[in-house]
Amino acid sequence: APWHLMMSLTPSSGCLLDLPWEDILVPHILCHLPLQQLLCLQRVSKSFQSLIQLYLANMRCFDSSQIGPPIPQAAFVNLLKDNEVLQQLALQNCSDWLTDTELLLVIKQNHHLHQIQLKGCAQLSCRALVAISLHCPNLRQLSLAHCEWVDSLSLRSLADHCKALEAVDLTACRQLKDEAICYLVQKCSRLKSLSLAVNANVGDVAVEEIARCCPELEHLDLTGCLRVKNDSIRVLAEYCPKLRSLKVKHCHNVAESSLSILRNRGVELDVEPPLQRALVLLQDVVGFAPFINLQI
C-alpha cells in the first residue's frame, strides 16, 4: 500500500513531498519499503531522487540481499557514500564483486556498526578484518563464515579492539588454529555464540580455553572439528552453565560419555543418544522400527 501511494503522488500534486522529509518521510514511510523499490522510486523525479539519497544517508541497516541480483561495485559505493550512521551491514555471498577497496570505504566512515555479515566474501583479505577492528569498537556480532583469508594476526587485531563481541562465526576459516582461538576468547569473554565448524585445526586446547574464558557462552558449533575429544567437552560442561546448544556432528572422538552430562542438563545436541541412533539405523536396514520398551 505505501508503494502505490508513493507512486501515485508526484511532486506536482503538492502532497507527499511537502511533508517533512527527515521527521516524517524518512523515519515513518520510507523505512517500510523494500530497498529495491526505493532504488526504483528515485527514478520518478529529481525530488524523489534527493529524498532517497537522504534516506540512504540516514539508513541504519544495509542488507545486500534486499536488492536482488548482485549489484555493481560502483553502485554499492554510491549507495553508501554519504552514510555515517550504519549499525548493521550484511554483505553475505558478495564474492563476485566485493573487495577490500569497496568495503573499507564504508567501514572507515561508519564507527557505529555493531553487526557485520561477510559470509562467503572470498575476495576480501585480512586487511578488511583489521580495518573492522580499528573502526568498529562497538562491534557485537560478526560473521566471517567461509572467509578462508582470515588469519591469526587479523583475528588478534579483532580481539584486541572489539572486546564487546557477543557472536562470532568462524566457520571454515581454515587458517585458524588453537592459539588464535585461545587469544580471541581470552580478550572477548562476553561471547555468547561461537562457530568453529569445519576446521580440522581446532582441538581440545581451544575448546577448554573457550570454556574457561566464556562463562556466558550459550551456543557453540564444533561440527567437523576432528581433533576435539571427550575431555574438552567435559570441561565445557563444567565451566559453561548457560550453554543451550552444542553441535559436534562428525566429531568422531566425542562420545556419549561426555555428551550425556550436557544432555541431562537439557542442552540441545545435534547427535542423537546411542539407543535412538541404533533404532534409526535398524529402521533403515529392515524398513521398520521394532517395538522396544525404552523403559526397560
Side-chain angles (χ1 to χ4, degrees):
W3 169 247
H4 292 297
L5 173 64
M6 298 284 277
M7 293 301 293
S8 63
L9 294 174
T10 63
S12 60
S13 64
C15 295
L16 184 64
L17 293 175
D18 286 342
L19 294 172
W21 288 14
E22 295 190 39
D23 296 330
I24 301 296
L25 293 182
V26 170
H28 297 294
I29 296 181
L30 298 187
C31 63
H32 296 292
L33 297 177
L35 183 57
Q36 189 172 22
Q37 291 185 347
L38 289 174
L39 298 181
C40 293
L41 183 63
Q42 66 180 343
R43 303 171 187 171
V44 173
S45 68
K46 290 184 178 179
S47 296
F48 271 113
Q49 182 179 16
S50 299
L51 173 60
I52 301 307
Q53 288 176 345
L54 177 65
Y55 172 81
L56 294 173
N58 289 275
M59 189 167 47
R60 299 294 196 274
C61 176
F62 180 86
D63 186 345
S64 61
S65 65
Q66 292 184 1
I67 300 178
I71 59 177
Q73 293 175 331
F76 168 72
V77 173
N78 185 62
L79 287 175
L80 297 177
K81 62 183 176 62
D82 298 321
N83 194 307
E84 298 180 358
V85 295
L86 272 181
Q87 296 179 2
Q88 300 178 38
L89 179 63
L91 300 171
Q92 61 270 28
N93 298 317
C94 294
S95 58
D96 291 339
W97 58 271
L98 185 67
T99 69
D100 289 351
T101 301
E102 294 78 41
L103 182 63
L104 266 57
L105 288 173
V106 176
I107 295 297
K108 289 181 178 180
Q109 65 186 35
N110 283 280
H111 305 289
H112 303 289
L113 280 163
H114 60 74
Q115 182 176 335
I116 299 178
Q117 165 68 266
L118 298 174
K119 178 181 178 182
C121 293
Q123 292 192 47
L124 298 176
S125 76
C126 55
R127 289 180 57 234
L129 186 53
V130 172
I132 289 172
S133 66
L134 295 178
H135 295 280
C136 306
N138 300 315
L139 194 63
R140 296 201 301 270
Q141 298 181 33
L142 176 63
S143 175
L144 298 169
H146 301 281
C147 293
E148 297 194 21
W149 45 265
V150 177
D151 61 10
S152 59
L153 289 178
S154 58
L155 193 69
R156 279 176 171 261
S157 178
L158 179 73
D160 285 335
H161 297 94
C162 300
K163 298 179 181 180
L165 279 167
E166 296 179 356
V168 179
D169 189 345
L170 298 173
T171 298
C173 292
R174 304 176 198 273
Q175 290 193 55
L176 301 178
K177 299 181 180 180
D178 283 350
E179 182 182 2
I181 303 303
C182 289
Y183 192 89
L184 173 69
V185 298
Q186 288 165 5
K187 297 287 186 176
C188 303
S189 58
R190 301 181 190 178
L191 280 175
K192 295 181 179 179
S193 178
L194 178 62
S195 176
L196 303 173
V198 200
N199 192 334
N201 293 318
V202 172
D204 286 343
V205 173
V207 175
E208 291 180 12
E209 195 67 13
I210 292 168
R212 294 190 177 97
C213 295
C214 302
E216 302 296 316
L217 191 68
E218 297 179 3
H219 307 282
L220 180 61
D221 190 346
L222 300 173
T223 303
C225 294
L226 304 178
R227 294 176 57 230
V228 174
K229 302 181 180 66
N230 275 329
D231 289 345
S232 62
I233 300 301
R234 292 193 184 98
V235 175
L236 194 70
E238 179 181 356
Y239 284 89
C240 296
K242 297 184 179 181
L243 193 66
R244 294 168 50 193
S245 71
L246 173 66
K247 295 183 178 181
V248 288
K249 188 174 289 186
H250 307 304
C251 296
H252 304 302
N253 295 311
V254 175
E256 185 64 21
S257 58
S258 61
L259 293 178
S260 60
I261 304 171
L262 294 168
R263 201 184 300 279
N264 293 336
R265 265 176 33 195
V267 176
E268 180 183 344
L269 303 173
D270 63 343
V271 176
E272 297 173 337
L275 180 56
Q276 185 175 351
R277 189 160 61 246
L279 288 175
V280 172
L281 292 174
L282 182 60
Q283 184 177 8
D284 290 340
V285 172
V286 301
F288 69 96
F291 175 78
I292 297 178
N293 188 347
L294 298 179
Q295 294 180 347
I296 296 177

